Amino acid sequence: MTRRWRWKEPSVLPGFGLTFGFVVFYLSLFVLIPLAALILRPWELGLGGFWDAVTTPRALAALRLSFYAAGVAALINAVMGLVLAWALVRYEFPGKRIIDALVDLPFALPTAVAGIALTAIYAPNGPIGAWFDEIGVRIAYTPTGVLLALIFVGLPFVVRSVQPVLEDVDREIEEAAETLGASAFQRARLVILPAILPALISGVGLAFARAVGEYGSVIFIAGNMPLKSEIAPLLIVIQLEQFNYAGAAAIGLAMLGLSFMVLLALNGLQAILSRRGQA
Amino acid sequence: MPLSIQNLTKTFQGFSALDAINLEVGDGEFLALLGPSGSGKTTLLRIMAGLDRPDSGTVDFDGEDFLAQTPRQRRVGLVFQHYALFRHMTVADNIAFGLKVRPRAQRPSKAAVAERVSELLRLVHLEGLEKRYPAQLSGGQRQRVALARALAIQPRLLLLDEPFGALDAKVRRELRRWLRHIHDETGVTTVFVTHDQEEALDLADRVAILNAGRIEQIASPLDLYQRPASAFVHDFLGGAVQLPGQVSDGELIVEGWRTRAPDGAPTGQVILGARGEDLSLADEGLETRIVSVSPRGFRTRVAVEIKGHMLDLDRPAHDPISDLAPGRTVRLRPDPIQLFKA
Amino acid sequence: MSAARRSAVRGAAPFVIGVGVLWLALVVLLPLGMVFAEAFRRGLEGFLQAFDEPDAWAAVRLTLLVAAISVPLNALFGLAAAWCISRYEFRGKALLTTLIDLPFSISPVISGLVWVLLFGTAGWFAPLLDALGVRVIFTVTGLVLATILVTLPFVARELIPLMQQQGADEELAALTLGAGPWAIFSKVTLPNVRWALLYGVLLCNARAMGEFGAVSVVSGHIRGLTNTLPLHVEILYNEYDFVGAFATATVLAGLALVTLLIKSLLEWRFADELAATRRH
């Protein structure tokens, strides 16, 4: 029997041509063509020019800050997100529904609003900033401020990734571990943590990806000092204002490439862990 | 013959789901497609409904080429295995759906639709539930809504995919009787798919037995039981004993037992088949060791060993075989002797 | 099941809840409260003053206009994408799904940048646009393009998993009962996904109205013309009109709170009719 190569299984449901055509057209128009511009334009500078554009001290400092702060913020969110998810799934307490809803506020609150609010809090004359100012610590207009803003925008990701999985952790497995003499801490570490680890990693990846590219909530609090507290997205904007399209695209492409490498590594880690979890 | 299927073939990704199927279904007939999972019975049903297309072959209905028609044009009532009721419609709206979506010119009036819906609700014994939503019904009730919905369009052919598969045993038996009653009342040509041999034999006028994409046998339940065409059919309909043997010069040799082969038996390598109740104690027959005897109410399960083959025999309680003590070695003789080509 | 029995680490409950809630209060509630506190720093009068200028209202109108164009388009796209991904088997489906999710992992600034690369003064299509006498960057068109790109996945991501989980049986049943394409869509598919659609539209709209980075790149910040509400907030803030900036921000914060409220209501009331990951 010859096996014909088919790219689509036949179906009697109407509308494939229409919907598929529309989806491909729409994606081409709004995603593929624009991204093609991002991927192709930096090379107008030539390979050397591209390299020079992304390795100027200013660009390197901006990229380093964006990725470093995003990484630290994602790790902090991993720990605190896990605590929050645990509290929301495992315990009953008054106001739980509202707390649960508020977790999504960073998703819903426009980033510019978050940015000016965080600045107002942590500026040297703000309620918390003044307190730190007295002991000689500055938060706003430093990389610490950047970190704070990135913690804010990344908070929901870990909670929302871990929550459903934690809800699904089989209570019987936990009880079996208990009957086998595992202590409470051992149960958490040996039974629950492996089960939620893939979800935790995927939440960390999402929080990281969001934080690397974050702009609105950061630029107000960052102070935007070149080489010190200037993030990569801001540098893109500055390059654009100077009509250096290729340079802006080069930094954008470098950001995209680097964050895809990080996400790819996290995906790989997650795949290994999930496979182990199924055994 | 209203429904005539010739030489139907269908492959899924190199796997042959249906292989040269020929099938005729008579007007008003109640036919069962019986087979294990993966035998192709649901695929065959879906092709009749128009949800799948065959690779080759023909499907004709009343002289019309069914394959040239869309499911819409075929006017075939299909009851899905999991009912596929519209979750956002009431029972009444579900049943009325097929009437309401007709082209404006053919659409019955509101009053006529309401009339037809209440008629069908009466037929399926769901009066008073018309305002309920599918989620508020029991499995058996959903099943009946699905059937009423399919009957509403006055189908030329009614197809049911494992109609009782998702129900528990008691509801299943009730609905079975009731489905036969509906069929006799409406007279609509009906094909249903099942993997439950008892269900098929109980309900259908004729049963088509499918195995690995081929029809092994089409016959009335009694014929299937008495004259299975293959070892597969025999086994699928509850054959307990299948032993390899040899026929030459009119003589059958099975596990050391020699006897005259019945008339018309195949020659060469054969398989001897027998049901538990076809066996009786005899001076000459298969040498059998009784392993265990477990009474189960009206029936008794007797586990035996015949030359290294472990077999379970289903016997009436308190007959000569089920009264034997475990450990005894006896001779059992099958009657009739059924032989299949190996 | 009592709370104590559900806990793996008994006795840790107050600690875990306390740390979690305090953290949320510090990171999320404090900034939210700050918005309102700052907005009313000079009393109700100071607050209302911010809305006493035509530029603020122009920004409101523009924000509504941009959302009114981009959200319905992305909703339509989400329905089409969910239909073709959940109802058919074809090669390249995984690639298509990845492409739909892609805008979520792109910086908003890049989502604006790409349009400048295409349509800016030194963009690929600049000569064409010049010849036609059309401008995209620094116009409403640019704002819409950037907003569509940023919010493209929202509706599709709610509908695809739900429709995959619901399966095609109801549509197939409708087909055998004689329903045509439009009847199948409007009577079966759409009612089955209506709450998930609303959910996706809600999130899409919140992001569309609140988007800052992408629109900031393509807007040009022309007051009264290409300034959306978030951009207006920025301008006021940079002009040291803090009360005005925060007063305007309360409108956006209110939008966020209403969004969260409706979202929670949907999760609570129609859990079964949302994608599984939304049911908490």
Side-chain angles (χ1 to χ4, degrees), chain A residues 22-23 26, chain C residues 67-83 148 151-160 163 185 190 193 196-202 204-205:
Chain A
F22 177 65
V23 166
Y26 200 88
Chain C
I69 299 171
S70 44
V71 174
L73 281 175
N74 278 340
L76 200 63
F77 167 76
L79 279 167
W83 180 260
I148 288 179
T151 60
L152 182 136
F154 279 100
V155 175
R157 288 201 23 146
E158 296 306 323
L159 295 183
I160 291 169
M163 283 177 64
F185 175 73
L190 201 55
V193 301
L197 179 64
L198 179 60
Y199 191 98
V201 164
L202 186 75
C204 185
N205 180 64

mmCIF file of all heavy atoms in Angstrom, chain A residues 22-23 26, chain C residues 67-83 148 151-160 163 185 190 193 196-202 204-205:
data_model
loop_
_atom_site.group_PDB
_atom_site.id
_atom_site.type_symbol
_atom_site.label_atom_id
_atom_site.label_comp_id
_atom_site.label_asym_id
_atom_site.label_seq_id
_atom_site.Cartn_x
_atom_site.Cartn_y
_atom_site.Cartn_z
ATOM 1 N N PHE A 22 -6.973 32.946 6.776
ATOM 2 C CA PHE A 22 -7.022 34.187 7.555
ATOM 3 C C PHE A 22 -5.915 34.206 8.617
ATOM 4 O O PHE A 22 -5.229 35.223 8.793
ATOM 5 C CB PHE A 22 -8.398 34.330 8.217
ATOM 6 C CG PHE A 22 -8.527 35.542 9.096
ATOM 7 C CD1 PHE A 22 -8.457 36.819 8.553
ATOM 8 C CD2 PHE A 22 -8.695 35.409 10.461
ATOM 9 C CE1 PHE A 22 -8.565 37.942 9.355
ATOM 10 C CE2 PHE A 22 -8.806 36.531 11.276
ATOM 11 C CZ PHE A 22 -8.742 37.795 10.720
ATOM 12 N N VAL A 23 -5.730 33.080 9.299
ATOM 13 C CA VAL A 23 -4.722 33.015 10.362
ATOM 14 C C VAL A 23 -3.323 33.246 9.791
ATOM 15 O O VAL A 23 -2.530 34.013 10.340
ATOM 16 C CB VAL A 23 -4.810 31.657 11.101
ATOM 17 C CG1 VAL A 23 -3.579 31.421 11.964
ATOM 18 C CG2 VAL A 23 -6.064 31.607 11.960
ATOM 19 N N TYR A 26 -2.978 36.905 8.702
ATOM 20 C CA TYR A 26 -2.904 37.789 9.868
ATOM 21 C C TYR A 26 -1.543 37.675 10.557
ATOM 22 O O TYR A 26 -0.918 38.679 10.896
ATOM 23 C CB TYR A 26 -4.020 37.369 10.831
ATOM 24 C CG TYR A 26 -4.447 38.400 11.849
ATOM 25 C CD1 TYR A 26 -5.428 39.337 11.559
ATOM 26 C CD2 TYR A 26 -3.892 38.408 13.127
ATOM 27 C CE1 TYR A 26 -5.848 40.254 12.506
ATOM 28 C CE2 TYR A 26 -4.307 39.327 14.080
ATOM 29 C CZ TYR A 26 -5.297 40.238 13.761
ATOM 30 O OH TYR A 26 -5.718 41.148 14.699
ATOM 31 N N ALA C 67 -8.233 50.583 21.103
ATOM 32 C CA ALA C 67 -8.741 49.310 21.619
ATOM 33 C C ALA C 67 -9.917 48.826 20.775
ATOM 34 O O ALA C 67 -10.040 47.631 20.488
ATOM 35 C CB ALA C 67 -9.152 49.456 23.076
ATOM 36 N N ALA C 68 -10.759 49.768 20.356
ATOM 37 C CA ALA C 68 -11.957 49.382 19.595
ATOM 38 C C ALA C 68 -11.597 48.796 18.237
ATOM 39 O O ALA C 68 -12.377 48.044 17.657
ATOM 40 C CB ALA C 68 -12.879 50.588 19.417
ATOM 41 N N ILE C 69 -10.429 49.149 17.718
ATOM 42 C CA ILE C 69 -10.015 48.546 16.442
ATOM 43 C C ILE C 69 -9.248 47.248 16.683
ATOM 44 O O ILE C 69 -9.527 46.220 16.055
ATOM 45 C CB ILE C 69 -9.135 49.526 15.633
ATOM 46 C CG1 ILE C 69 -9.923 50.790 15.302
ATOM 47 C CG2 ILE C 69 -8.653 48.857 14.346
ATOM 48 C CD1 ILE C 69 -9.086 51.888 14.708
ATOM 49 N N SER C 70 -8.293 47.290 17.597
ATOM 50 C CA SER C 70 -7.407 46.128 17.712
ATOM 51 C C SER C 70 -8.050 44.942 18.445
ATOM 52 O O SER C 70 -7.788 43.794 18.086
ATOM 53 C CB SER C 70 -6.074 46.522 18.371
ATOM 54 O OG SER C 70 -6.282 47.355 19.467
ATOM 55 N N VAL C 71 -8.874 45.194 19.443
ATOM 56 C CA VAL C 71 -9.446 44.066 20.192
ATOM 57 C C VAL C 71 -10.379 43.210 19.329
ATOM 58 O O VAL C 71 -10.239 41.985 19.293
ATOM 59 C CB VAL C 71 -10.133 44.546 21.495
ATOM 60 C CG1 VAL C 71 -10.841 43.404 22.190
ATOM 61 C CG2 VAL C 71 -9.103 45.177 22.424
ATOM 62 N N PRO C 72 -11.341 43.819 18.599
ATOM 63 C CA PRO C 72 -12.200 42.972 17.752
ATOM 64 C C PRO C 72 -11.408 42.197 16.701
ATOM 65 O O PRO C 72 -11.710 41.025 16.429
ATOM 66 C CB PRO C 72 -13.150 43.963 17.081
ATOM 67 C CG PRO C 72 -13.167 45.136 17.984
ATOM 68 C CD PRO C 72 -11.799 45.217 18.585
ATOM 69 N N LEU C 73 -10.369 42.830 16.136
ATOM 70 C CA LEU C 73 -9.577 42.112 15.134
ATOM 71 C C LEU C 73 -8.885 40.907 15.764
ATOM 72 O O LEU C 73 -8.893 39.802 15.204
ATOM 73 C CB LEU C 73 -8.531 43.046 14.512
ATOM 74 C CG LEU C 73 -9.059 43.998 13.434
ATOM 75 C CD1 LEU C 73 -7.963 44.952 12.978
ATOM 76 C CD2 LEU C 73 -9.572 43.190 12.238
ATOM 77 N N ASN C 74 -8.313 41.111 16.937
ATOM 78 C CA ASN C 74 -7.645 39.984 17.599
ATOM 79 C C ASN C 74 -8.636 38.933 18.082
ATOM 80 O O ASN C 74 -8.293 37.751 18.171
ATOM 81 C CB ASN C 74 -6.781 40.481 18.759
ATOM 82 C CG ASN C 74 -5.437 40.985 18.277
ATOM 83 O OD1 ASN C 74 -5.007 40.636 17.182
ATOM 84 N ND2 ASN C 74 -4.792 41.806 19.077
ATOM 85 N N ALA C 75 -9.852 39.351 18.397
ATOM 86 C CA ALA C 75 -10.883 38.383 18.781
ATOM 87 C C ALA C 75 -11.247 37.508 17.580
ATOM 88 O O ALA C 75 -11.355 36.281 17.681
ATOM 89 C CB ALA C 75 -12.113 39.098 19.323
ATOM 90 N N LEU C 76 -11.405 38.165 16.434
ATOM 91 C CA LEU C 76 -11.707 37.430 15.200
ATOM 92 C C LEU C 76 -10.572 36.455 14.882
ATOM 93 O O LEU C 76 -10.788 35.286 14.552
ATOM 94 C CB LEU C 76 -11.883 38.437 14.064
ATOM 95 C CG LEU C 76 -12.639 37.969 12.839
ATOM 96 C CD1 LEU C 76 -14.059 37.615 13.211
ATOM 97 C CD2 LEU C 76 -12.618 39.053 11.768
ATOM 98 N N PHE C 77 -9.354 36.975 15.012
ATOM 99 C CA PHE C 77 -8.190 36.127 14.768
ATOM 100 C C PHE C 77 -8.181 34.938 15.742
ATOM 101 O O PHE C 77 -7.931 33.804 15.341
ATOM 102 C CB PHE C 77 -6.906 36.943 14.937
ATOM 103 C CG PHE C 77 -5.668 36.102 15.006
ATOM 104 C CD1 PHE C 77 -5.139 35.538 13.860
ATOM 105 C CD2 PHE C 77 -5.052 35.842 16.228
ATOM 106 C CE1 PHE C 77 -4.009 34.736 13.925
ATOM 107 C CE2 PHE C 77 -3.934 35.042 16.303
ATOM 108 C CZ PHE C 77 -3.398 34.490 15.149
ATOM 109 N N GLY C 78 -8.485 35.207 17.009
ATOM 110 C CA GLY C 78 -8.481 34.145 18.012
ATOM 111 C C GLY C 78 -9.489 33.051 17.668
ATOM 112 O O GLY C 78 -9.196 31.861 17.778
ATOM 113 N N LEU C 79 -10.679 33.462 17.223
ATOM 114 C CA LEU C 79 -11.706 32.475 16.850
ATOM 115 C C LEU C 79 -11.238 31.647 15.656
ATOM 116 O O LEU C 79 -11.370 30.417 15.657
ATOM 117 C CB LEU C 79 -13.017 33.195 16.513
ATOM 118 C CG LEU C 79 -13.877 33.602 17.710
ATOM 119 C CD1 LEU C 79 -14.958 34.576 17.268
ATOM 120 C CD2 LEU C 79 -14.505 32.374 18.366
ATOM 121 N N ALA C 80 -10.705 32.316 14.650
ATOM 122 C CA ALA C 80 -10.251 31.597 13.454
ATOM 123 C C ALA C 80 -9.114 30.649 13.809
ATOM 124 O O ALA C 80 -9.096 29.485 13.382
ATOM 125 C CB ALA C 80 -9.807 32.590 12.376
ATOM 126 N N ALA C 81 -8.164 31.142 14.607
ATOM 127 C CA ALA C 81 -7.012 30.303 14.970
ATOM 128 C C ALA C 81 -7.462 29.102 15.791
ATOM 129 O O ALA C 81 -7.018 27.975 15.560
ATOM 130 C CB ALA C 81 -5.990 31.125 15.746
ATOM 131 N N ALA C 82 -8.369 29.335 16.740
ATOM 132 C CA ALA C 82 -8.834 28.235 17.584
ATOM 133 C C ALA C 82 -9.589 27.208 16.745
ATOM 134 O O ALA C 82 -9.442 26.003 16.939
ATOM 135 C CB ALA C 82 -9.720 28.767 18.705
ATOM 136 N N TRP C 83 -10.394 27.689 15.792
ATOM 137 C CA TRP C 83 -11.133 26.757 14.945
ATOM 138 C C TRP C 83 -10.171 25.907 14.133
ATOM 139 O O TRP C 83 -10.266 24.680 14.109
ATOM 140 C CB TRP C 83 -12.087 27.521 14.015
ATOM 141 C CG TRP C 83 -12.881 26.619 13.118
ATOM 142 C CD1 TRP C 83 -12.625 26.334 11.815
ATOM 143 C CD2 TRP C 83 -14.033 25.849 13.474
ATOM 144 N NE1 TRP C 83 -13.536 25.444 11.331
ATOM 145 C CE2 TRP C 83 -14.418 25.126 12.325
ATOM 146 C CE3 TRP C 83 -14.771 25.695 14.653
ATOM 147 C CZ2 TRP C 83 -15.512 24.269 12.322
ATOM 148 C CZ3 TRP C 83 -15.869 24.830 14.640
ATOM 149 C CH2 TRP C 83 -16.231 24.141 13.487
ATOM 150 N N ILE C 148 -1.997 45.755 18.113
ATOM 151 C CA ILE C 148 -2.419 44.432 17.625
ATOM 152 C C ILE C 148 -1.317 43.414 17.854
ATOM 153 O O ILE C 148 -1.569 42.303 18.347
ATOM 154 C CB ILE C 148 -2.787 44.495 16.120
ATOM 155 C CG1 ILE C 148 -4.099 45.225 15.942
ATOM 156 C CG2 ILE C 148 -2.879 43.088 15.540
ATOM 157 C CD1 ILE C 148 -4.535 45.349 14.498
ATOM 158 N N THR C 151 -1.035 42.457 21.617
ATOM 159 C CA THR C 151 -2.170 41.760 22.228
ATOM 160 C C THR C 151 -2.682 40.599 21.375
ATOM 161 O O THR C 151 -3.722 40.019 21.682
ATOM 162 C CB THR C 151 -3.344 42.734 22.474
ATOM 163 O OG1 THR C 151 -3.742 43.287 21.212
ATOM 164 C CG2 THR C 151 -2.938 43.858 23.388
ATOM 165 N N LEU C 152 -1.946 40.258 20.334
ATOM 166 C CA LEU C 152 -2.422 39.233 19.391
ATOM 167 C C LEU C 152 -2.755 37.878 20.037
ATOM 168 O O LEU C 152 -3.750 37.256 19.693
ATOM 169 C CB LEU C 152 -1.379 39.081 18.274
ATOM 170 C CG LEU C 152 -1.673 38.095 17.149
ATOM 171 C CD1 LEU C 152 -1.325 38.714 15.814
ATOM 172 C CD2 LEU C 152 -0.917 36.811 17.329
ATOM 173 N N PRO C 153 -1.965 37.377 20.993
ATOM 174 C CA PRO C 153 -2.246 36.011 21.474
ATOM 175 C C PRO C 153 -3.416 35.874 22.448
ATOM 176 O O PRO C 153 -3.884 34.763 22.661
ATOM 177 C CB PRO C 153 -0.946 35.619 22.211
ATOM 178 C CG PRO C 153 0.058 36.663 21.877
ATOM 179 C CD PRO C 153 -0.699 37.890 21.536
ATOM 180 N N PHE C 154 -3.872 36.972 23.054
ATOM 181 C CA PHE C 154 -4.755 36.833 24.220
ATOM 182 C C PHE C 154 -5.999 35.977 23.974
ATOM 183 O O PHE C 154 -6.264 35.038 24.728
ATOM 184 C CB PHE C 154 -5.175 38.210 24.738
ATOM 185 C CG PHE C 154 -4.145 38.862 25.605
ATOM 186 C CD1 PHE C 154 -3.310 39.839 25.103
ATOM 187 C CD2 PHE C 154 -3.992 38.482 26.927
ATOM 188 C CE1 PHE C 154 -2.341 40.434 25.891
ATOM 189 C CE2 PHE C 154 -3.031 39.070 27.734
ATOM 190 C CZ PHE C 154 -2.198 40.053 27.211
ATOM 191 N N VAL C 155 -6.771 36.298 22.958
ATOM 192 C CA VAL C 155 -8.023 35.562 22.740
ATOM 193 C C VAL C 155 -7.728 34.135 22.273
ATOM 194 O O VAL C 155 -8.321 33.167 22.769
ATOM 195 C CB VAL C 155 -8.929 36.300 21.734
ATOM 196 C CG1 VAL C 155 -10.168 35.474 21.429
ATOM 197 C CG2 VAL C 155 -9.319 37.658 22.285
ATOM 198 N N ALA C 156 -6.781 33.995 21.351
ATOM 199 C CA ALA C 156 -6.448 32.663 20.836
ATOM 200 C C ALA C 156 -6.023 31.740 21.969
ATOM 201 O O ALA C 156 -6.418 30.572 22.014
ATOM 202 C CB ALA C 156 -5.335 32.773 19.792
ATOM 203 N N ARG C 157 -5.262 32.265 22.918
ATOM 204 C CA ARG C 157 -4.754 31.419 23.999
ATOM 205 C C ARG C 157 -5.842 30.950 24.943
ATOM 206 O O ARG C 157 -5.670 29.941 25.630
ATOM 207 C CB ARG C 157 -3.671 32.136 24.773
ATOM 208 C CG ARG C 157 -2.438 32.204 23.947
ATOM 209 C CD ARG C 157 -1.194 32.412 24.666
ATOM 210 N NE ARG C 157 -1.138 32.056 26.042
ATOM 211 C CZ ARG C 157 -0.039 31.593 26.590
ATOM 212 N NH1 ARG C 157 0.997 31.368 25.839
ATOM 213 N NH2 ARG C 157 0.012 31.362 27.867
ATOM 214 N N GLU C 158 -6.922 31.685 25.042
ATOM 215 C CA GLU C 158 -8.045 31.217 25.868
ATOM 216 C C GLU C 158 -8.868 30.180 25.112
ATOM 217 O O GLU C 158 -9.384 29.231 25.691
ATOM 218 C CB GLU C 158 -8.945 32.383 26.288
ATOM 219 C CG GLU C 158 -8.275 33.407 27.173
ATOM 220 C CD GLU C 158 -7.636 32.799 28.412
ATOM 221 O OE1 GLU C 158 -8.199 31.855 28.980
ATOM 222 O OE2 GLU C 158 -6.547 33.265 28.793
ATOM 223 N N LEU C 159 -9.038 30.402 23.799
ATOM 224 C CA LEU C 159 -9.962 29.558 23.048
ATOM 225 C C LEU C 159 -9.355 28.224 22.623
ATOM 226 O O LEU C 159 -10.041 27.202 22.619
ATOM 227 C CB LEU C 159 -10.462 30.309 21.802
ATOM 228 C CG LEU C 159 -11.314 31.541 22.086
ATOM 229 C CD1 LEU C 159 -11.811 32.149 20.781
ATOM 230 C CD2 LEU C 159 -12.498 31.189 22.969
ATOM 231 N N ILE C 160 -8.074 28.227 22.251
ATOM 232 C CA ILE C 160 -7.493 26.995 21.699
ATOM 233 C C ILE C 160 -7.580 25.829 22.693
ATOM 234 O O ILE C 160 -8.129 24.773 22.354
ATOM 235 C CB ILE C 160 -6.040 27.221 21.227
ATOM 236 C CG1 ILE C 160 -6.026 28.125 19.991
ATOM 237 C CG2 ILE C 160 -5.361 25.898 20.888
ATOM 238 C CD1 ILE C 160 -4.653 28.622 19.600
ATOM 239 N N MET C 163 -11.318 24.737 23.216
ATOM 240 C CA MET C 163 -11.952 24.039 22.083
ATOM 241 C C MET C 163 -11.320 22.683 21.841
ATOM 242 O O MET C 163 -11.993 21.742 21.418
ATOM 243 C CB MET C 163 -11.904 24.911 20.832
ATOM 244 C CG MET C 163 -12.952 26.012 20.892
ATOM 245 S SD MET C 163 -12.911 27.153 19.508
ATOM 246 C CE MET C 163 -13.335 26.068 18.160
ATOM 247 N N PHE C 185 -21.457 27.387 13.508
ATOM 248 C CA PHE C 185 -20.654 28.355 14.246
ATOM 249 C C PHE C 185 -21.503 29.133 15.252
ATOM 250 O O PHE C 185 -21.164 29.247 16.424
ATOM 251 C CB PHE C 185 -19.958 29.313 13.277
ATOM 252 C CG PHE C 185 -19.205 30.404 13.978
ATOM 253 C CD1 PHE C 185 -18.016 30.125 14.631
ATOM 254 C CD2 PHE C 185 -19.689 31.701 14.000
ATOM 255 C CE1 PHE C 185 -17.322 31.115 15.291
ATOM 256 C CE2 PHE C 185 -19.000 32.706 14.663
ATOM 257 C CZ PHE C 185 -17.819 32.404 15.302
ATOM 258 N N LEU C 190 -19.989 28.995 18.991
ATOM 259 C CA LEU C 190 -19.915 30.278 19.703
ATOM 260 C C LEU C 190 -20.533 30.202 21.112
ATOM 261 O O LEU C 190 -19.899 30.630 22.077
ATOM 262 C CB LEU C 190 -20.557 31.374 18.852
ATOM 263 C CG LEU C 190 -20.138 32.802 19.183
ATOM 264 C CD1 LEU C 190 -18.633 32.955 19.124
ATOM 265 C CD2 LEU C 190 -20.799 33.787 18.219
ATOM 266 N N VAL C 193 -18.162 28.575 23.611
ATOM 267 C CA VAL C 193 -16.917 29.244 24.027
ATOM 268 C C VAL C 193 -17.165 30.686 24.459
ATOM 269 O O VAL C 193 -16.221 31.439 24.639
ATOM 270 C CB VAL C 193 -15.861 29.232 22.892
ATOM 271 C CG1 VAL C 193 -15.530 27.812 22.491
ATOM 272 C CG2 VAL C 193 -16.309 30.043 21.695
ATOM 273 N N ALA C 196 -15.247 31.979 27.583
ATOM 274 C CA ALA C 196 -13.806 32.012 27.346
ATOM 275 C C ALA C 196 -13.460 33.150 26.384
ATOM 276 O O ALA C 196 -12.434 33.813 26.524
ATOM 277 C CB ALA C 196 -13.328 30.674 26.778
ATOM 278 N N LEU C 197 -14.342 33.380 25.416
ATOM 279 C CA LEU C 197 -14.123 34.479 24.478
ATOM 280 C C LEU C 197 -14.156 35.810 25.223
ATOM 281 O O LEU C 197 -13.289 36.677 25.045
ATOM 282 C CB LEU C 197 -15.203 34.447 23.392
ATOM 283 C CG LEU C 197 -15.149 35.537 22.332
ATOM 284 C CD1 LEU C 197 -13.880 35.442 21.514
ATOM 285 C CD2 LEU C 197 -16.362 35.460 21.406
ATOM 286 N N LEU C 198 -15.149 35.952 26.089
ATOM 287 C CA LEU C 198 -15.251 37.184 26.872
ATOM 288 C C LEU C 198 -14.005 37.366 27.751
ATOM 289 O O LEU C 198 -13.450 38.460 27.864
ATOM 290 C CB LEU C 198 -16.509 37.128 27.755
ATOM 291 C CG LEU C 198 -16.737 38.339 28.664
ATOM 292 C CD1 LEU C 198 -16.869 39.608 27.841
ATOM 293 C CD2 LEU C 198 -17.970 38.142 29.529
ATOM 294 N N TYR C 199 -13.568 36.270 28.331
ATOM 295 C CA TYR C 199 -12.380 36.283 29.186
ATOM 296 C C TYR C 199 -11.158 36.766 28.396
ATOM 297 O O TYR C 199 -10.418 37.649 28.833
ATOM 298 C CB TYR C 199 -12.160 34.862 29.706
ATOM 299 C CG TYR C 199 -11.149 34.693 30.817
ATOM 300 C CD1 TYR C 199 -11.561 34.621 32.132
ATOM 301 C CD2 TYR C 199 -9.803 34.557 30.534
ATOM 302 C CE1 TYR C 199 -10.658 34.432 33.154
ATOM 303 C CE2 TYR C 199 -8.884 34.364 31.550
ATOM 304 C CZ TYR C 199 -9.315 34.293 32.855
ATOM 305 O OH TYR C 199 -8.413 34.102 33.858
ATOM 306 N N GLY C 200 -10.980 36.191 27.232
ATOM 307 C CA GLY C 200 -9.844 36.582 26.398
ATOM 308 C C GLY C 200 -9.953 38.025 25.951
ATOM 309 O O GLY C 200 -8.969 38.771 25.968
ATOM 310 N N VAL C 201 -11.152 38.445 25.557
ATOM 311 C CA VAL C 201 -11.364 39.825 25.121
ATOM 312 C C VAL C 201 -11.067 40.791 26.273
ATOM 313 O O VAL C 201 -10.462 41.848 26.091
ATOM 314 C CB VAL C 201 -12.807 40.009 24.599
ATOM 315 C CG1 VAL C 201 -13.180 41.479 24.523
ATOM 316 C CG2 VAL C 201 -12.951 39.351 23.242
ATOM 317 N N LEU C 202 -11.462 40.389 27.465
ATOM 318 C CA LEU C 202 -11.233 41.219 28.649
ATOM 319 C C LEU C 202 -9.733 41.463 28.865
ATOM 320 O O LEU C 202 -9.285 42.605 29.039
ATOM 321 C CB LEU C 202 -11.827 40.493 29.857
ATOM 322 C CG LEU C 202 -11.845 41.210 31.188
ATOM 323 C CD1 LEU C 202 -12.933 42.258 31.182
ATOM 324 C CD2 LEU C 202 -12.085 40.209 32.316
ATOM 325 N N CYS C 204 -7.329 40.974 26.692
ATOM 326 C CA CYS C 204 -6.806 41.644 25.500
ATOM 327 C C CYS C 204 -7.061 43.142 25.600
ATOM 328 O O CYS C 204 -6.170 43.963 25.343
ATOM 329 C CB CYS C 204 -7.488 41.055 24.266
ATOM 330 S SG CYS C 204 -6.853 41.666 22.712
ATOM 331 N N ASN C 205 -8.257 43.495 26.012
ATOM 332 C CA ASN C 205 -8.635 44.896 26.123
ATOM 333 C C ASN C 205 -7.813 45.608 27.201
ATOM 334 O O ASN C 205 -7.329 46.723 26.985
ATOM 335 C CB ASN C 205 -10.122 44.995 26.439
ATOM 336 C CG ASN C 205 -10.564 46.424 26.575
ATOM 337 O OD1 ASN C 205 -10.509 47.177 25.611
ATOM 338 N ND2 ASN C 205 -10.950 46.821 27.768
#
